[in-house]
Amino acid sequence: MHHWIKSALDDIGEEIFALAAKIYPICRSITGDGVRQTLREIGEHIALDVHEVPTGTEVFDWTIPREWNIRDAYIRNHKGERIVDFSKSNLHVMSYSVPVNARMSLADLRKHIYTLPDQPDLIPYRTSYYAENWAFCMPHRQYESLPDETYEVVIDSTLTDGSLTYGEYFHKGEAEDEFLLSAHVCHPSLANDNCSGIALLTHLAKQISRRRTRYSYRFLFAPGTIGAITWLAQNESRVSRIKHGLVVSMVGDGGGPTYKKSRRGNAQIDRAMMHVLRHSGLSPTVLEFYPYGYDERQYCSPGFNLPVGLFQRSQFGTIPQYHTSADDLAFIRPEALQESYRLITAAIDVIEKDDTYRNTMPKCEPQLGKRGLYGAIGGATDAAAANMAMLWSLNLSDGTHSLLDIAERADLPFDVMHRAAELLRKHGLLEITESRAGTRAI
Amino acid sequence: MHHWIKSALDDIGEEIFALAAKIYPICRSITGDGVRQTLREIGEHIALDVHEVPTGTEVFDWTIPREWNIRDAYIRNHKGERIVDFSKSNLHVMSYSVPVNARMSLADLRKHIYTLPDQPDLIPYRTSYYAENWAFCMPHRQYESLPDETYEVVIDSTLTDGSLTYGEYFHKGEAEDEFLLSAHVCHPSLANDNCSGIALLTHLAKQISRRRTRYSYRFLFAPGTIGAITWLAQNESRVSRIKHGLVVSMVGDGGGPTYKKSRRGNAQIDRAMMHVLRHSGLSPTVLEFYPYGYDERQYCSPGFNLPVGLFQRSQFGTIPQYHTSADDLAFIRPEALQESYRLITAAIDVIEKDDTYRNTMPKCEPQLGKRGLYGAIGGATDAAAANMAMLWSLNLSDGTHSLLDIAERADLPFDVMHRAAELLRKHGLLEITESRAGTRAI
Amino acid sequence: MHHWIKSALDDIGEEIFALAAKIYPICRSITGDGVRQTLREIGEHIALDVHEVPTGTEVFDWTIPREWNIRDAYIRNHKGERIVDFSKSNLHVMSYSVPVNARMSLADLRKHIYTLPDQPDLIPYRTSYYAENWAFCMPHRQYESLPDETYEVVIDSTLTDGSLTYGEYFHKGEAEDEFLLSAHVCHPSLANDNCSGIALLTHLAKQISRRRTRYSYRFLFAPGTIGAITWLAQNESRVSRIKHGLVVSMVGDGGGPTYKKSRRGNAQIDRAMMHVLRHSGLSPTVLEFYPYGYDERQYCSPGFNLPVGLFQRSQFGTIPQYHTSADDLAFIRPEALQESYRLITAAIDVIEKDDTYRNTMPKCEPQLGKRGLYGAIGGATDAAAANMAMLWSLNLSDGTHSLLDIAERADLPFDVMHRAAELLRKHGLLEITESRAGTRAI
């Protein structure tokens, strides 16, 4: 699988960015046409299955809420000027705001306005999914300068029985065991959170769809929290197939990278991501699991305890752009998206190739020289590292260490170790152990 | 149990100090009337059982020694002046000094004098329990200025068959499992070591006597080493009931706090004390077990290996006042005693409440919002911490983590975690596992 | 065993140095008369068994190569002057060079010359065991000043069927379990690498031959890689007797000391060496096992996985003298050899004496005072350390901790702990557990 990743790298960042830019303007929420429109855009790239789950459906402790849609919203002053206009930024309306059409004093209006006093030029992002309410969001500077007059306040939204919508793409591998990749699709015009993750996973799915893989890959594009809960509720019996997983969000800024471990803490995905990040040349942050964040909260709830981590660049909640209008298309960059793509695919590559080999000549070292193996791995790879990779894989391939185990022990990149092991395998010095060969495809 | 601790805090430091001050003047040793008088003072507060164990009784490898009592002691110069006088400080006489009544030269007297050349104004504390001898202790400055004359030297002591005396207070809890709290009562006028510990445990016993508790509590007031050995020998068959324990000494100075772990190193008392100290806002020192110190030496001998740690403020042997006349009532303070009391009771509180809960809705998160649980824990507790405490207790309550495990993992104070867990339990989201509920009382 | 080590220390460094100096001039390689002559010198000190293994013998994946011998070699200029002369330094000829006798231009000659441009005054050490070739090694400064003329080039060597030679010395102990000590004997005039190791092990064998020991000791003097492989191939069925082992090389410089752990990482030899080094007063480096280096590569191959570490002073490859003519007799010193000897024998001493004791009075402390045990261990040993050693060995001798475990936990030197334990054993307070006593000899 290695080379497709490399070959895909050249313009994948631009492609991901283009899709992110296309879906950025859409007003998404946890239900409604914004999600459907987003899934249609994804469907231009991959054969997405779109699921509709009716309002009122019970999913574990939750119930699918009414569907929310919005056509327009504004605040008009006495001159009839739209001083706040939904069509300029969908962040202006608190998500799930009930309809309103009223005239009111500034004092009354102010009870329904959110601002960020410390970031007075930005519009905050606010939601009120499960408590009926309405509100506008605006820059604090504007809020402070509003004249004391009567305003016409209109939110032309509907909150009616309908359905929750999510999309799923499945790629069949050699094994039934699955790798889950999940992005939330409920945020409106926030580029990094999570147009970036949606677009990256779409292009990753597109690439994977063209390959033979060991694992099956499941891509889930669903609204945060309620979407993941819905999917888990509807797939409860099949969830145990998930052997690895990543929640992907905020992958377009140049910060981080950040990896938050699964609840298990030492799952293979945790080890693979940490390995890749450590050899990335970047300055990664690895966080222990904690029960707050994105949909890993649901995947890692104790009744599932799936091996699913969270990959981000900057960590949510830690940057000033987070959940504000500053999380726009200027905040994400093709190079960062490409780098995020490279890191995720490198981790997938580790998991696809992490076999356990066995040294066929375990007593003393085999004579590498007579086989021309010293210095046999040339090119970009450092010759000394390649030689050490051969010695390490011979020494530790006693049936109890996987290639990732060995790469970690040797402090060498997995890729270098894998190339060494495969070279030795071609010379009959290593073999893949029976137990793993059965599930091995590529 | 939480609130009684808080309510008791207001003047408990003053009360402990008052008792420490009352017993400070008494000349205690490992046997004799000083111990009896001390136990009588304790008995003014709690219904103490006083035990007398006759001289010659074999207790494991040891034998109860003869009983030592002293009425008077002095050194008189040629003018008949008492230049050293037991009635001024009982530290002047080495504990267990045999009787002497002699006239002797300065040169001969000097063979029986201990001083502290590096602390020339202080009287050292010395004992000679198991080798017959006599000696005086005095400030080095005085020692150096003694004129070369003949002195009258009198120690009016007796060393006769009698008994060793110790006191015990037992509070019956719901369970037979016991929490041992032990203080040595053999040091003469040393305020911190250990009038402070005796007085603190007396008042703690008084408070606990008024409550329902899960565990039974056993308070032991016994001479150091031989007293603990005697108690263990006489209670050998019941010792296995002790599930937690603390030796308490030197709790009145403002140093530390210091916790020395039990020999087991990861007993629940070790974890509870470390947790409490880490969240104390102080600068605690935690020491691994080592086989030297107070009566934890006996409780943690390999044949018992009880889960008993040592709580102190300053660590014994590390401060200049240790075992000198500077360990007087000015060295201990009500505030420090109160703080020590607060730390010990907080650890007891952890152990009383450290249940293992089980999440009744382990698949995905339960919807806290619809139950009004977000922000439901107000008051002094930080709302964000309370929310995280709920999420953590839900996520880790899979039957394998106790509440202390979860508090440690979440890096939140046990009390915050316990309040969150109890709130969730009231809402049916957590339940206490069967295995623990059986021993649960409050 | 302790005292023989101490008594031997006085001039052992000088004796080791003398033997190293005697074998330094010999031109060793992986086969040939140089090895035989070296083994004869060793045989002057101990009753060495010398083994000859014929060319062509298969040893695991390897084959015994042809035997190489050399009589003379030189480069002569047009005046007939030997500008490079094997008799001045055997490093001048690449080891295993095929015979040559030719006249050639400077340009052609240069293709067969190795130098060290960064160390222009030193002769490098080079070999070509498994690829037929010839070369001279010389200082880079000389190489650069060679006039452009025709040279007479002679290497009077033979490469013929013969045998590989190694030496073995076995000392029978009480147990069949063996301690392996191994030094490579294939390097020509390099004093530290490994005349030092050969000479140290020879004198160690001589000392051990005079003693009763618990373990049997096997000393192996064999050419690097192929020699160890040969020995393992010929002794495959007996290899499991090896319970501890050390490869010894480069023990004459004053650097390090360096210990590289066995592949197991926590073998008793690893723990003993680390303990000794930590208490050595030196600044040791301990390295995790890695599959490159000396013959520990073979002993620690996965099919054997023997508990064999590597002891060195400076670490191979890290010092400028390594594999150059600067690794001469001036580079090694009797004091450093003596110190290396002391460290190795101290580790052997730990392993010989690392019994598991049992406290015969495990309930409470036994009364040491009545037995006169406090302060009973005097002399050079610090009294407080001796007392603590007694308390620690009593406290932890519960049948699950060996004396080394206890010494590590107590942070006391093994020797102090052993003296304390033996004193307590003489007083009946400790006994050696049955399971170990059976294999205990001294």
Side-chain angles (χ1 to χ4, degrees):
Chain A
M1 253 178 93
H2 189 71
H3 298 290
W4 69 272
I5 294 171
K6 276 214 159 42
S7 65
L9 277 184
D10 296 340
D11 53 4
I12 196 83
E14 295 289 353
E15 290 175 25
I16 296 168
F17 184 86
L19 178 56
K22 197 153 189 189
I23 62 177
Y24 172 72
I26 302 170
C27 180
R28 281 164 293 272
S29 184
I30 55 172
T31 59
D33 290 331
V35 173
R36 289 190 192 96
Q37 190 181 340
T38 301
L39 298 180
R40 272 196 301 276
E41 293 294 346
I42 298 170
E44 294 292 311
H45 296 270
I46 53 176
L48 197 69
D49 287 327
V50 175
H51 301 257
E52 299 281 351
V53 184
T55 296
T57 305
E58 294 199 351
V59 288
F60 296 120
D61 191 42
W62 302 63
T63 306
I64 303 296
R66 284 179 294 167
E67 180 175 329
W68 184 72
N69 283 291
I70 182 166
R71 272 163 302 278
D72 195 7
Y74 53 84
I75 301 172
R76 248 197 311 234
N77 65 12
H78 73 287
K79 299 182 207 163
E81 297 164 344
R82 289 190 170 204
I83 60 164
V84 169
D85 188 348
F86 172 74
S87 68
K88 298 241 175 82
S89 169
N90 54 40
L91 297 178
H92 276 312
V93 178
M94 181 170 75
S95 196
Y96 259 66
S97 281
V98 296
V100 62
N101 188 335
R103 296 178 64 82
M104 60 185 70
S105 67
L106 176 61
D108 285 345
L109 176 59
R110 280 187 156 172
K111 295 171 191 161
H112 291 270
I113 294 180
Y114 287 107
T115 69
L116 297 166
D118 292 342
Q119 297 171 291
D121 296 315
L122 303 182
I123 311 167
Y125 162 56
R126 290 286 174 138
T127 71
S128 182
Y129 299 139
Y130 301 102
E132 288 206 3
N133 204 347
W134 65 268
F136 284 87
C137 302
M138 67 173 66
H140 193 69
R141 219 179 286 283
Q142 181 184 15
Y143 170 84
E144 286 196 310
S145 67
L146 289 179
D148 187 3
E149 55 173 278
T150 301
Y151 292 91
E152 183 191 355
V153 178
V154 171
I155 297 180
D156 181 11
S157 66
T158 55
L159 203 53
T160 58
D161 281 358
S163 60
L164 175 145
T165 316
Y166 69 84
E168 201 172 1
Y169 175 77
F170 183 71
H171 167 77
K172 184 80 184 72
E174 293 286 321
E176 296 223 320
D177 290 345
E178 294 183 14
F179 196 128
L180 175 70
L181 291 140
S182 174
H184 61 276
V185 297
C186 52
H187 286 34
S189 293
L190 298 170
N192 201 34
D193 182 12
N194 193 22
C195 295
S196 70
I198 296 166
L200 189 153
L201 286 196
T202 301
H203 279 283
L204 178 59
K206 194 173 177 177
Q207 292 293 334
I208 283 184
S209 70
R210 299 170 181 166
R211 312 285 155 177
R212 288 184 64 201
T213 57
R214 170 184 296 186
Y215 289 99
S216 297
Y217 286 78
R218 185 175 299 279
F219 292 80
L220 185 59
F221 301 91
T225 305
I226 185 70
I229 292 170
T230 299
W231 184 84
L232 286 163
Q234 297 197 327
N235 295 276
E236 194 173 348
S237 65
R238 300 186 309 177
V239 156
S240 64
R241 291 184 193 164
I242 296 172
K243 303 304 183 199
H244 319 283
L246 281 178
V247 171
V248 174
S249 75
M250 293 181 60
V251 290
D253 72 279
T258 305
Y259 180 68
K260 175 183 162 184
K261 293 190 205 176
S262 78
R263 183 179 183 271
R264 298 184 185 188
N266 64 347
Q268 201 177 3
I269 183 65
D270 299 326
R271 298 185 60 226
M273 276 300 325
M274 285 191 287
H275 179 83
V276 165
L277 293 182
R278 199 155 56 80
H279 289 277
S280 66
L282 305 171
S283 300
T285 298
V286 174
L287 305 168
E288 293 299 318
F289 177 78
Y290 57 98
Y292 188 70
Y294 290 102
D295 286 332
E296 71 277 6
R297 292 165 71 160
Q298 311 309 327
Y299 302 129
C300 296
S301 57
F304 291 114
N305 196 24
L306 297 176
V308 177
L310 167 65
F311 178 76
Q312 305 196 295
R313 300 306 300 263
S314 291
Q315 192 187 347
F316 73 83
T318 66
I319 48 173
Q321 296 85 352
Y322 181 72
H323 280 194
T324 75
S325 52
D327 182 358
D328 59 15
L329 288 174
F331 183 50
I332 66 173
R333 292 181 298 104
E335 311 83 74
L337 291 162
Q338 184 152 325
E339 198 170 54
S340 298
Y341 182 88
R342 180 176 62 79
L343 295 168
I344 291 170
T345 50
I348 290 173
D349 209 42
V350 169
I351 285 175
E352 283 277 328
K353 294 174 177 169
D354 185 21
D355 281 309
T356 298
Y357 293 73
R358 192 189 307 274
N359 182 336
T360 61
M361 293 192 178
K363 291 190 171 175
C364 298
E365 292 176 8
Q367 196 175 355
L368 299 182
K370 73 182 182 190
R371 295 177 177 85
L373 289 173
Y374 277 123
I377 303 177
T381 308
D382 176 87
N387 288 341
M388 283 310 296
M390 285 193 288
L391 294 174
W392 273 113
S393 60
L394 287 167
N395 190 273
L396 290 183
S397 287
D398 56 6
T400 72
H401 301 92
S402 80
L403 218 46
L404 178 56
D405 295 338
I406 301 172
E408 286 287 294
R409 180 77 172 79
D411 198 20
L412 289 170
F414 181 86
D415 180 52
V416 172
M417 192 58 69
H418 183 256
R419 289 165 67 196
E422 283 297 293
L423 181 65
L424 293 168
R425 191 164 73 96
K426 286 191 188 85
H427 282 81
L429 296 175
L430 290 181
E431 60 189 13
I432 293 177
T433 58
E434 294 285 337
S435 59
R436 295 280 297 170
T439 63
R440 190 160 190 286
I442 42 169
Chain B
M1 250 178 98
H2 189 71
H3 299 290
W4 67 271
I5 294 171
K6 274 210 161 43
S7 66
L9 276 184
D10 297 339
D11 54 3
I12 196 83
E14 295 290 351
E15 290 176 26
I16 296 168
F17 184 87
L19 177 55
K22 196 154 189 188
I23 62 178
Y24 172 73
I26 302 170
C27 181
R28 281 165 293 272
S29 184
I30 55 171
T31 59
D33 290 332
V35 173
R36 288 187 193 97
Q37 189 180 344
T38 301
L39 297 180
R40 271 195 301 275
E41 293 295 345
I42 297 170
E44 293 292 310
H45 296 270
I46 53 176
L48 198 68
D49 286 327
V50 175
H51 300 258
E52 299 281 350
V53 184
T55 296
T57 305
E58 295 199 352
V59 287
F60 297 121
D61 191 44
W62 301 64
T63 305
I64 302 296
R66 285 180 293 168
E67 180 174 328
W68 184 71
N69 284 292
I70 182 166
R71 273 162 302 277
D72 195 7
Y74 52 84
I75 301 172
R76 244 191 323 224
N77 65 13
H78 74 286
K79 299 183 207 163
E81 297 163 340
R82 288 188 171 207
I83 60 165
V84 170
D85 188 348
F86 172 74
S87 70
K88 299 240 173 82
S89 169
N90 53 42
L91 297 179
H92 276 313
V93 178
M94 180 170 75
S95 196
Y96 258 65
S97 281
V98 296
V100 62
N101 189 335
R103 296 178 63 84
M104 59 184 69
S105 67
L106 176 60
D108 285 345
L109 176 58
R110 280 186 157 173
K111 296 171 191 160
H112 291 270
I113 295 181
Y114 287 108
T115 70
L116 296 167
D118 293 341
Q119 297 171 290
D121 295 316
L122 303 182
I123 310 166
Y125 162 55
R126 291 285 176 136
T127 71
S128 182
Y129 299 139
Y130 301 103
E132 287 207 5
N133 204 347
W134 64 269
F136 283 86
C137 303
M138 67 173 65
H140 192 68
R141 219 178 286 284
Q142 180 184 15
Y143 170 85
E144 286 196 309
S145 67
L146 288 179
D148 186 4
E149 56 174 280
T150 299
Y151 292 91
E152 182 190 355
V153 179
V154 172
I155 297 180
D156 181 11
S157 66
T158 54
L159 203 53
T160 57
D161 282 357
S163 60
L164 174 144
T165 315
Y166 69 84
E168 201 172 2
Y169 175 76
F170 183 71
H171 167 77
K172 184 82 185 70
E174 293 286 321
E176 295 225 319
D177 291 345
E178 293 184 14
F179 196 128
L180 175 70
L181 291 140
S182 173
H184 60 277
V185 297
C186 51
H187 286 34
S189 292
L190 298 169
N192 201 34
D193 181 12
N194 191 27
C195 295
S196 70
I198 297 166
L200 189 152
L201 286 196
T202 301
H203 279 282
L204 177 59
K206 193 172 176 179
Q207 292 295 333
I208 283 183
S209 71
R210 300 167 180 168
R211 312 286 155 175
R212 289 184 64 201
T213 57
R214 170 184 295 185
Y215 289 99
S216 296
Y217 286 78
R218 185 174 300 280
F219 292 81
L220 185 59
F221 301 90
T225 305
I226 185 70
I229 292 171
T230 300
W231 185 83
L232 285 163
Q234 297 199 326
N235 294 276
E236 194 173 348
S237 64
R238 297 186 311 176
V239 156
S240 63
R241 289 184 193 166
I242 296 172
K243 303 304 183 198
H244 318 283
L246 281 178
V247 171
V248 174
S249 75
M250 292 180 61
V251 290
D253 72 280
T258 306
Y259 180 67
K260 175 183 164 184
K261 293 190 205 176
S262 78
R263 184 180 184 270
R264 300 184 183 187
N266 63 348
Q268 200 176 3
I269 184 64
D270 299 326
R271 298 185 61 227
M273 277 302 323
M274 286 190 285
H275 179 84
V276 164
L277 292 182
R278 199 154 57 80
H279 290 277
S280 66
L282 304 171
S283 301
T285 298
V286 174
L287 304 169
E288 293 298 320
F289 178 79
Y290 56 98
Y292 187 71
Y294 290 101
D295 287 332
E296 71 278 7
R297 293 167 70 159
Q298 311 310 326
Y299 302 130
C300 297
S301 57
F304 290 115
N305 196 25
L306 297 176
V308 177
L310 167 65
F311 178 76
Q312 305 196 294
R313 299 306 301 261
S314 293
Q315 191 187 348
F316 72 84
T318 65
I319 47 173
Q321 295 86 350
Y322 181 71
H323 279 193
T324 75
S325 52
D327 182 359
D328 59 15
L329 288 174
F331 183 50
I332 66 173
R333 291 179 298 104
E335 310 83 72
L337 291 162
Q338 183 152 327
E339 199 170 51
S340 298
Y341 182 89
R342 179 178 62 81
L343 294 168
I344 291 170
T345 51
I348 290 173
D349 208 41
V350 169
I351 286 176
E352 284 276 328
K353 295 174 178 169
D354 185 21
D355 281 308
T356 298
Y357 292 73
R358 193 189 307 274
N359 182 337
T360 61
M361 294 193 175
K363 293 190 172 176
C364 298
E365 291 175 9
Q367 194 175 357
L368 299 182
K370 74 181 183 190
R371 294 178 178 83
L373 289 172
Y374 277 123
I377 302 176
T381 308
D382 175 87
N387 287 341
M388 284 309 297
M390 284 193 288
L391 294 175
W392 273 113
S393 60
L394 286 167
N395 189 273
L396 291 183
S397 287
D398 55 8
T400 71
H401 301 92
S402 80
L403 219 46
L404 178 57
D405 295 337
I406 301 173
E408 286 287 294
R409 178 79 172 78
D411 198 20
L412 289 170
F414 181 87
D415 180 50
V416 172
M417 191 60 68
H418 183 256
R419 289 165 66 197
E422 283 296 293
L423 181 64
L424 293 168
R425 190 163 74 95
K426 285 190 189 87
H427 282 82
L429 296 174
L430 291 181
E431 59 188 15
I432 294 177
T433 58
E434 295 284 339
S435 59
R436 295 282 297 171
T439 62
R440 192 163 188 285
I442 42 167
Chain C
M1 252 177 97
H2 189 71
H3 298 291
W4 68 271
I5 294 171
K6 275 214 159 44
S7 66
L9 276 185
D10 296 340
D11 53 5
I12 196 83
E14 295 289 353
E15 290 176 25
I16 296 169
F17 184 87
L19 177 55
K22 196 154 191 189
I23 61 178
Y24 172 73
I26 301 172
C27 180
R28 280 164 294 272
S29 184
I30 56 172
T31 59
D33 290 331
V35 174
R36 288 188 194 96
Q37 190 181 341
T38 302
L39 298 180
R40 273 196 300 276
E41 293 294 345
I42 297 170
E44 294 292 312
H45 296 270
I46 53 177
L48 198 68
D49 286 327
V50 176
H51 300 259
E52 299 281 351
V53 184
T55 296
T57 305
E58 295 199 353
V59 287
F60 296 121
D61 192 42
W62 301 64
T63 306
I64 303 294
R66 284 180 294 168
E67 180 174 328
W68 183 71
N69 283 293
I70 183 165
R71 273 163 302 277
D72 195 7
Y74 52 84
I75 301 172
R76 250 202 304 234
N77 65 12
H78 72 287
K79 299 184 207 160
E81 297 164 342
R82 289 190 170 204
I83 60 165
V84 170
D85 188 349
F86 172 74
S87 70
K88 298 239 174 84
S89 169
N90 52 40
L91 297 179
H92 275 312
V93 178
M94 181 169 75
S95 195
Y96 257 65
S97 282
V98 296
V100 62
N101 188 335
R103 296 177 64 81
M104 61 183 69
S105 67
L106 177 60
D108 285 346
L109 177 57
R110 279 187 159 173
K111 297 172 191 160
H112 291 271
I113 295 181
Y114 288 108
T115 70
L116 296 167
D118 291 342
Q119 296 172 293
D121 296 318
L122 302 183
I123 310 167
Y125 163 55
R126 290 285 174 136
T127 72
S128 183
Y129 299 139
Y130 301 103
E132 287 207 3
N133 203 348
W134 65 267
F136 283 87
C137 302
M138 66 173 63
H140 193 67
R141 219 180 285 285
Q142 180 183 15
Y143 171 84
E144 287 196 309
S145 66
L146 288 179
D148 187 2
E149 55 173 281
T150 300
Y151 292 92
E152 183 191 354
V153 179
V154 172
I155 297 181
D156 182 11
S157 66
T158 54
L159 203 55
T160 57
D161 282 357
S163 60
L164 175 144
T165 315
Y166 69 84
E168 201 172 1
Y169 175 76
F170 183 71
H171 167 77
K172 185 81 184 71
E174 293 285 321
E176 295 226 318
D177 290 345
E178 293 184 13
F179 196 128
L180 175 69
L181 291 140
S182 174
H184 61 277
V185 297
C186 51
H187 285 34
S189 292
L190 298 169
N192 201 33
D193 181 12
N194 192 26
C195 295
S196 70
I198 297 167
L200 188 152
L201 286 196
T202 302
H203 278 284
L204 178 59
K206 193 173 178 177
Q207 292 295 333
I208 283 184
S209 70
R210 298 169 181 168
R211 312 286 155 176
R212 288 184 65 200
T213 57
R214 170 185 295 188
Y215 288 100
S216 296
Y217 287 77
R218 185 175 299 279
F219 293 81
L220 185 59
F221 301 91
T225 305
I226 186 69
I229 292 171
T230 300
W231 185 83
L232 286 163
Q234 297 197 327
N235 294 276
E236 195 174 348
S237 65
R238 298 185 310 175
V239 156
S240 63
R241 290 184 194 164
I242 296 172
K243 302 304 182 198
H244 319 283
L246 281 178
V247 171
V248 174
S249 76
M250 292 181 61
V251 290
D253 72 280
T258 305
Y259 180 68
K260 174 182 163 185
K261 293 189 205 177
S262 78
R263 182 179 184 271
R264 299 184 183 188
N266 64 348
Q268 201 176 3
I269 183 64
D270 299 325
R271 298 184 61 227
M273 277 301 323
M274 285 190 286
H275 179 83
V276 164
L277 292 183
R278 198 155 57 80
H279 289 277
S280 66
L282 305 171
S283 300
T285 298
V286 174
L287 305 168
E288 293 299 319
F289 177 78
Y290 57 98
Y292 187 71
Y294 290 102
D295 286 332
E296 71 278 6
R297 293 166 69 159
Q298 311 310 325
Y299 302 128
C300 296
S301 57
F304 290 114
N305 196 25
L306 297 177
V308 176
L310 167 64
F311 179 76
Q312 305 195 296
R313 300 306 300 263
S314 292
Q315 192 187 347
F316 72 85
T318 65
I319 47 172
Q321 295 86 351
Y322 181 71
H323 279 193
T324 75
S325 53
D327 183 359
D328 59 14
L329 288 173
F331 183 51
I332 66 173
R333 291 181 298 103
E335 311 84 72
L337 291 162
Q338 183 151 327
E339 199 169 51
S340 298
Y341 181 89
R342 180 176 62 79
L343 295 168
I344 291 170
T345 51
I348 291 173
D349 208 42
V350 169
I351 286 176
E352 284 276 329
K353 294 174 177 168
D354 185 22
D355 282 308
T356 298
Y357 293 72
R358 193 190 307 273
N359 181 335
T360 61
M361 293 192 178
K363 292 190 172 177
C364 299
E365 292 175 7
Q367 194 175 357
L368 299 181
K370 75 181 182 190
R371 295 177 177 86
L373 289 172
Y374 277 123
I377 303 175
T381 309
D382 176 88
N387 287 341
M388 283 310 296
M390 284 192 287
L391 293 174
W392 273 113
S393 59
L394 286 167
N395 189 273
L396 291 183
S397 287
D398 55 6
T400 71
H401 301 92
S402 80
L403 218 46
L404 178 56
D405 295 337
I406 301 172
E408 286 287 294
R409 179 79 172 78
D411 198 21
L412 289 170
F414 181 86
D415 179 51
V416 172
M417 191 59 68
H418 183 256
R419 290 164 67 196
E422 283 296 293
L423 181 64
L424 292 168
R425 190 164 73 96
K426 286 194 189 84
H427 283 82
L429 296 174
L430 290 181
E431 60 189 13
I432 293 177
T433 58
E434 294 284 338
S435 59
R436 295 281 297 170
T439 62
R440 189 159 191 289
I442 43 170

